[in-house]
Amino acid sequence: FRITRRQEDAHELLRALLDAAEPGFKKLGDGDAALVPALFGGTQSSTLSCPSCKFESVSKEPFLDLSLEPDASIKAALAAWQKAEVLDKANAWRCGGCGRAVRATKRLGVEAAPEVLVVHLKRFGEAFRVIRKIARHVAFEPRLEVKKGAPSYLLRGVVAHHGRAMRAGHYTAYGRGRDDKWRHFDDDDVRLVPE
């Protein structure tokens, strides 16, 4: 879709639709209920751990979707997002326990899982100051678990971009119906497709 002559992607369209729908949803309830965050809202955590004194600093922030780097599968992309990383010297963290600048370990995770999970794959990357489409195939499993012990998510839909260029292409969608059958939506063409 376009806003002020600027091409937008499917993820931005979803966020714009949810933002625009929220005031109407509030009218349906008691006026204070925020349906979009209640359905799509989760909490992600970022944990910094000191290798010296083992002090941990945990920060939490709400999310409406998880933006992941493309990987072989959605499950692998989620695992890569959650994988611990050691900060380099340039990004040393001043530990709140021992007060030293340390190469802390940083871990991201899902603290509170939402009712409805939206996963957004970052499909464009920069190389040599040129933004290019990441054309990697990403497999998706019918079920996804984002946190141990939390309910898993049944895949309901996928939006796909066709075309090589960032500023050109075509979006289609795959959706699982109430009859548990998958359909491919391509403008006005809707077809049953195998899982």
Side-chain angles (χ1 to χ4, degrees):
F1 81 105
R2 294 180 190 271
I3 297 179
T4 61
R5 297 182 183 214
R6 200 178 79 200
Q7 183 77 23
E8 304 294 338
D9 70 9
H11 176 244
E12 291 165 325
L13 172 62
L14 174 64
R15 295 298 297 266
L17 286 172
L18 292 176
D19 288 346
E22 184 61 32
F25 290 147
K26 284 184 179 179
K27 290 178 184 175
L28 296 175
D30 61 11
D32 293 328
L35 186 60
V36 170
L39 288 176
F40 297 94
T43 305
Q44 72 180 38
S45 62
S46 176
T47 305
L48 291 167
S49 303
C50 178
S52 299
C53 72
K54 308 302 181 210
F55 176 81
E56 288 190 339
S57 172
V58 180
S59 59
K60 299 175 185 178
E61 65 180 50
F63 71 88
L64 293 178
D65 52 60
L66 290 179
S67 288
L68 307 176
E69 298 289 336
D71 210 317
S73 68
I74 298 292
K75 186 176 181 177
L78 180 64
W81 179 76
Q82 294 174 326
K83 184 179 177 185
E85 66 174 302
V86 178
L87 302 179
D88 58 23
K89 280 187 178 182
N91 293 315
W93 170 65
R94 183 148 316 270
C95 175
C98 63
R100 297 181 11 215
V102 296
R103 293 185 63 202
T105 300
K106 179 180 179 181
R107 274 186 335 273
L108 298 176
V110 174
E111 182 74 19
E115 290 291 321
V116 177
L117 177 66
V118 174
V119 174
H120 164 249
L121 294 175
K122 299 175 184 176
R123 300 306 289 177
F124 299 99
E126 187 175 341
F128 307 107
R129 296 187 179 170
V130 176
I131 297 175
R132 299 190 187 277
K133 180 178 178 186
I134 300 169
R136 183 176 193 172
H137 173 79
V138 178
F140 43 90
E141 301 82 8
R143 286 207 168 268
L144 180 67
E145 182 180 273
V146 297
K147 182 179 175 184
K148 293 235 186 273
S152 62
Y153 293 93
L154 177 64
L155 182 67
R156 288 287 179 192
V158 175
V159 176
H161 180 265
H162 306 277
R164 295 190 176 275
M166 185 179 88
R167 290 190 163 76
H170 181 67
Y171 285 100
T172 65
Y174 297 87
R176 183 192 305 259
R178 288 184 181 156
D179 59 2
D180 213 33
K181 293 181 181 174
W182 281 91
R183 289 170 178 78
H184 181 230
F185 300 88
D186 185 355
D187 294 331
D188 61 351
D189 182 36
V190 179
R191 295 182 192 180
L192 282 170
V193 292
E195 188 172 323

